[in-house]
Amino acid sequence: MSISSVTPASSVVVILPAVLFALHWGAPIAFLAAGLLCVPLAYCYSSLGRRFPSAGGEYAFARRLLGTGVARSTWAVTIVGLVLAIAAMIQGAAGLLSGILGPGTETWSALALCAVVALVAPQHVRRGARITSVMLFIEIVAVLGITAVGIVAFANSEASVGSCVDAARSSLATLDPGVVLAFVAVAYFALAGFGSAVILGEEDLDAGRLAARAVGWTLAFTFVLEFVPLLALLLGNWCGPVAPDADGGLLTALSGFHASPALQAAVLGSAAIACLNAAIVIAMQGARIIFSAARDEVLPAAASRRLGRLRQSTRAPLTATMLLVSVAGAAALLLPGDRVIAVASAALIVPPAVVAASRMAWGGGPSGVFRRWVVPGLALLALGLVAAFGIAADPFPFAVPAVAWLVGLGYDRWHRHRSARKVTPLGP
């Protein structure tokens, strides 16, 4: 399920095209940088997840180790990121289905996809795992198909390895390093599914050990399943004298589809299933984060009473799931897709930074200088650089998580002040 939360095929068709059309041959560099960034972060998730398995994930780590103020802010930013991530997956799936069903079907497709997410996400976690594993198999087939299309397009073209090298050099020579680093945030979004192993681990009998192990395996599988088709698309389309136009979208990048409508429909349908798979698992983990905060009474009392309930038959937070899916569906219908992906990418940078800071604050476990300070410090430095270049390129997406963070801090201060006023001082 942790691999399904990022679903490589959905990243290839929804997230990575933005990097591909913006950077051309600089896309592999941004993707490799994002992969290197994920290594120390995966260690922090694995280390804390082994000791503190919780449905709250990043918020729960912050609550234990950094205080309620940081915890509430982390929770707010995390929910914003997950809502927009679900919306991005729904928009991506609806756009892919419109390539099969015809133009003008995006709205109805998005509504139908929201209904499917609302139906599957509240299921028992083991039943959800079975459903998402079937979808994961289908999307891996789609990834292999996309890779094959790129390789076949290169084989059928007149391009040679030398021409590809020349095209790559000319593309890299014109790239601004700051722009490449700015797109590392988007590439990180395509890989950032390994943390969900910790969130879903609380419902397993051997949560700590299995969650820690799943974090590393998820990152490794996801990187390979996304990097290989990325290279195949570059070989198949960016080796010639004229690069594909970004206005053509995915179908332009996968130019081999035009010769085979059946292959086009099959791969687009499989990729739509992948996007749906990601939306389902993200909704499952997001609902558990909401439930965890309600269980810990971090939310207002009225909200905690309603959102802190589990459906007895499935042991899943039904109310929290319906709320999350409803808000994500509205965002998918009302907000432009490029803004949704940009803001989601910016918001999802914050929780890993909190995890790295939490690893520094935790004195238990392997507490040597390298593991406690150097590895999390490298992760924080890398995330800071990505955020700095991202803000320089487009500050608006980072304003949304900043506002969410301030709202969390403000609510925590108000809650502390209100609680202090309720305490009656003892007499002399």
Side-chain angles (χ1 to χ4, degrees):
M1 293 186 70
S2 58
I3 298 176
S4 295
S5 66
V6 69
T7 49
S10 65
S11 298
V12 171
V13 300
V14 177
I15 301 171
L16 292 184
V19 185
L20 198 62
F21 285 117
L23 302 181
H24 294 184
W25 282 97
I29 297 177
F31 199 79
L32 285 171
L36 292 175
L37 166 64
C38 288
V39 173
L41 287 173
Y43 166 76
C44 294
Y45 273 99
S46 179
S47 179
L48 294 176
R50 184 184 295 271
R51 180 61 180 86
F52 308 112
S54 171
E58 298 92 348
Y59 138 77
F61 300 153
R63 182 173 179 268
R64 287 176 177 269
L65 302 168
L66 300 177
T68 58
V70 177
R72 285 190 167 102
S73 295
T74 302
W75 182 88
V77 176
T78 302
I79 294 302
V80 169
L82 293 178
V83 164
L84 295 179
I86 297 171
M89 294 300 105
I90 291 175
Q91 289 178 336
L96 292 167
L97 289 177
S98 67
I100 302 174
L101 303 176
T105 59
E106 291 89 346
T107 300
W108 292 108
S109 297
L111 291 173
L113 293 167
C114 288
V116 174
V117 174
L119 178 65
V120 178
Q123 299 297 322
H124 191 279
V125 66
R126 293 186 181 276
R127 182 179 299 173
R130 296 187 184 100
I131 296 173
T132 55
S133 65
V134 174
M135 294 184 176
L136 181 62
F137 174 79
I138 295 173
E139 72 169 285
I140 289 176
V141 174
V143 168
L144 295 176
I146 292 173
T147 304
V149 167
I151 294 174
V152 170
F154 173 72
N156 293 335
S157 66
E158 298 180 356
S160 63
V161 176
S163 64
C164 282
V165 173
D166 293 337
R169 286 177 178 174
S170 61
S171 175
L172 295 175
T174 58
L175 279 179
D176 183 357
V179 176
V180 176
L181 288 175
F183 274 91
V184 172
V186 182
Y188 169 80
F189 182 33
L191 294 170
F194 48 85
S196 63
V198 175
I199 296 171
L200 298 171
E202 184 180 338
E203 300 177 57
D204 194 283
L205 294 177
D206 195 11
R209 183 177 63 86
L210 292 179
R213 186 179 299 175
V215 168
W217 281 111
T218 298
L219 176 58
F221 275 116
T222 303
F223 182 86
V224 172
L225 290 173
E226 293 179 4
F227 190 69
V228 171
L230 177 66
L231 291 179
L233 292 178
L234 282 169
L235 288 174
N237 296 277
W238 267 269
C239 285
V242 180
D245 185 3
D247 295 335
L250 180 66
L251 294 183
T252 301
L254 303 179
S255 56
F257 281 165
H258 294 294
S260 177
L263 179 62
Q264 174 182 331
V267 176
L268 290 181
S270 300
I273 292 175
C275 294
L276 175 62
N277 195 20
I280 290 172
V281 179
I282 296 173
M284 293 181 71
Q285 68 185 56
R288 281 157 174 79
I289 293 175
I290 295 175
F291 163 78
S292 180
R295 178 183 59 187
D296 297 338
E297 298 181 351
V298 172
L299 304 179
S304 296
R305 286 194 298 269
R306 291 174 173 82
L307 298 174
R309 300 173 182 172
L310 292 177
R311 189 179 182 183
Q312 294 302 317
S313 59
T314 61
R315 304 298 298 169
L318 178 61
T319 304
T321 304
M322 294 298 103
L323 175 63
L324 187 70
V325 174
S326 299
V327 177
L333 293 174
L334 300 176
L335 300 179
D338 57 341
R339 293 284 86 183
V340 169
I341 294 178
V343 176
S345 302
L348 291 177
I349 290 178
V350 177
V354 173
V355 171
S358 299
R359 181 62 187 93
M360 287 183 172
W362 180 41
S367 56
V369 174
F370 183 78
R371 293 185 177 182
R372 183 177 178 183
W373 299 105
V374 175
V375 175
L378 289 174
L380 286 174
L381 177 62
L383 288 171
L385 289 174
V386 169
F389 283 103
I391 292 172
D394 188 2
F396 172 76
F398 291 85
V400 177
V403 170
W405 184 273
L406 293 176
V407 169
L409 284 180
Y411 174 74
D412 181 73
R413 176 164 293 188
W414 174 82
H415 185 269
R416 286 173 176 269
H417 179 70
R418 184 181 180 187
S419 300
R421 291 183 61 183
K422 288 183 178 180
V423 176
T424 302
L426 296 177

